[in-house]
Amino acid sequence: MLIEGILIKGYAGFYYVFADDRVWECSLRGRFRVKKQDFIPGDKVLILPGVGNKATIEKVLERRNSLVRPNVANVDQAFLVFARKTPDPDYNLLDRLLIQVGKAGLQAIIIFTKADLTEDLMDPFHEYYRACGYTVLNVSNKTLQGIDEVKKMTQGHITVLAGPSGSGKSSLLNCLQPHKEQKTGVVSAKIGRGRHTTRHVELIPIEGGLVADTPGFSTLYLPEMKREELQLYFPEFEKYKYLCRFKSCLHDKEPDCAVKEALHESKILSSRYKHYIQFLQEVIANENKH
Ligand SMILES: Nc1nc2c(ncn2[C@@H]2O[C@H](COP(=O)(O)OP(=O)(O)OP(=O)(O)O)[C@@H](O)[C@H]2O)c(=O)[nH]1
Ligand SMILES: [Mg+2]
Ligand SMILES: [Zn+2]
C-alpha cells in the first residue's frame, strides 16, 4: 500500500519522508529515474513502506510552488523573524521580505523575538504592520512568551523561517520542538548579530506542521516586476491611490498624489514610504536592464 508523505531532507544518499506521523528512511526505486536535484524538501511523494522505518519512493507529485532560498517546495507561509533588540530590527529588510513573500503568493507572519530584552509591550511599528493586514507576533525564546501562538500557526502548513542572522530563528525552532536541538549561534558583541550558524535545508516536523530553518541574510534583491506592481505590496496605499490625480500615479513626483498627502498627514509611516521610493528606483533600474 502506497502512502503519501512529504520529503523533509536528502542526506547521504537517503531521502527522509514524513508520512503517517513518522519519519521514513527512503531509497529510490531502481527503475525510478529521477535526477537527484529533482527532489527538494517539501515535495509530496508516494512511498511504499518496507521493514521498520525503511521505504521506497515510488512517485513524486507535482509541485504547487517552490522557493529558491530556502530551496523548499509547496510552501504555505513564511515566518519573518526579527529581534526587537540585538540586533535591532532592519525594517528595510522586512519590507523587502514582505514583497518577496507576497510575490511568491505566500502568507507572511511577522515574528518579533527577544521580547524579554525590552520593557515596551507595545511598539508603534507592530501596530502599523497589523493595520496593514499582517499578523504580528511577539515572542521570547527565553521565557517562551508567545510560543504557543506560533505553534498554532504552524499547524497543517509548510512554513519557512527567514530573517537576519542572530534574530533567533533557530532558537524559535528549538522552542517549537524542544526534543531536537538546532544549532544556535552567539551574537557577536562587535556587530550585534549571529554568525550564520544554519546551513543545510531541512523540514523539521513539529506537532502538526513542518518548518524549514534558513541561514540569516542581510541583503535581499527585489524580485523582477513592473514599476506599477510595486505598490501592490504596500497595502496601506490602497485606500488613497484612487484619489490621486493620475490613474497611473506612482506616488513619486506626480502632483496631487493622495498617497503623499496621507504621508504628510502621518497616516502612512515615513519609513514605509521611504522604502517604497527606494524600491521603486531599484525596480525601474532593473526594468531598464531587460
Ligand atoms: N534574550 C533572548 N535571546 C535570544 C532569543 N532568541 C534567540 N536569542 C539568542 O540570540 C542568538 C542568536 O540566535 P539564533 O537562534 O542562533 O539566531 P538565528 O536567527 O538562527 O541566526 P542565523 O542562523 O545566523 O541566521 C543566540 O545567542 C540566542 O540564544 C530570545 O527570545 N531572547
Ligand atoms: Mg540559525
Ligand atoms: Zn499617487
Side-chain angles (χ1 to χ4, degrees):
M1 256 278 275
L2 294 178
I3 52 176
E4 193 180 305
I6 295 174
L7 182 77
I8 57 172
K9 70 169 168 180
Y11 182 72
F14 285 106
Y15 296 93
Y16 294 84
V17 171
F18 190 72
D20 265 0
D21 249 358
R22 52 191 270 217
V23 179
W24 303 79
E25 186 187 274
C26 301
S27 45
L28 298 181
R29 287 277 284 200
R31 65 173 169 81
F32 196 73
R33 267 181 283 180
V34 178
K35 281 187 259 124
K36 251 192 181 156
Q37 59 265 37
D38 284 346
F39 290 102
I40 57 173
D43 269 327
K44 273 194 182 159
V45 294
L46 296 180
I47 61 168
L48 183 66
V51 181
N53 72 332
K54 304 250 195 275
T56 54
I57 295 179
E58 300 289 319
K59 194 177 163 62
V60 185
L61 306 178
E62 214 173 309
R63 271 175 210 158
R64 193 158 46 81
N65 65 29
S66 64
L67 295 185
V68 178
R69 196 169 69 174
N71 200 207
V72 177
N74 301 316
V75 179
D76 298 300
Q77 59 186 14
F79 287 171
L80 309 183
V81 182
F82 287 79
R84 294 201 65 182
K85 257 187 174 177
T86 353
D88 283 340
D90 176 348
Y91 286 105
N92 189 299
L93 185 64
L94 172 59
D95 289 341
R96 284 172 192 274
L97 274 166
L98 287 171
I99 294 168
Q100 200 187 45
V101 167
K103 188 148 172 78
L106 310 180
Q107 198 68 30
I109 291 132
I110 305 169
I111 300 181
F112 287 99
T113 59
K114 313 199 188 186
D116 55 286
L117 295 184
T118 165
E119 247 122 69
D120 312 325
L121 294 175
M122 295 280 280
D123 183 305
F125 277 80
H126 299 193
E127 291 313 314
Y128 187 86
Y129 283 94
R130 275 194 193 110
C132 288
Y134 300 109
T135 301
V136 181
L137 302 177
N138 256 294
V139 308
S140 165
N141 300 317
K142 284 262 150 75
T143 67
L144 301 188
Q145 171 202 330
I147 295 297
D148 279 344
E149 226 174 318
V150 178
K151 244 185 216 169
K152 266 188 225 144
M153 308 233 50
T154 61
Q155 303 281 309
H157 295 304
I158 293 183
T159 305
V160 298
L161 302 181
S165 192
S167 66
K169 298 177 295 299
S170 301
S171 306
L172 179 65
L173 199 44
N174 284 339
C175 292
L176 294 173
Q177 46 110 46
H179 309 299
K180 207 181 146 212
E181 283 280 300
Q182 292 300 303
K183 240 183 155 181
T184 59
V186 183
V187 171
S188 139
K190 218 162 85 201
I191 50 175
R193 40 187 178 83
R195 274 175 288 162
H196 302 281
T197 17
T198 309
R199 286 169 209 286
H200 60 282
V201 182
E202 144 179 28
L203 280 168
I204 314 274
I206 52 161
E207 301 161 50
L210 295 167
V211 181
D213 197 357
T214 311
F217 47 85
S218 52
T219 53
L220 183 63
Y221 292 106
L222 295 170
E224 242 176 72
M225 68 177 94
K226 294 210 181 90
R227 61 186 76 182
E228 306 80 54
E229 192 186 333
L230 182 65
Q231 56 186 295
L232 299 180
Y233 305 106
F234 288 77
E236 69 268 46
F237 292 5
E238 176 85 14
K239 62 177 175 225
Y240 305 111
K241 68 185 183 198
Y242 302 102
L243 303 171
C244 295
R245 190 207 292 186
F246 300 107
K247 229 181 135 191
S248 61
C249 190
L250 292 174
H251 324 303
D252 185 10
K253 304 240 157 67
E254 298 89 340
D256 295 330
C257 168
V259 169
K260 268 185 290 177
E261 225 165 88
L263 169 75
H264 294 133
E265 290 166 5
S266 304
K267 289 175 183 153
I268 286 173
L269 195 67
S270 61
S271 71
R272 285 281 284 177
Y273 181 76
K274 195 176 108 198
H275 296 157
Y276 169 76
I277 293 298
Q278 187 195 348
F279 299 166
L280 186 65
Q281 282 157 3
E282 282 182 36
V283 167
I284 290 171
N286 236 334
E287 262 180 358
N288 297 338
K289 269 193 223 146
H290 300 282

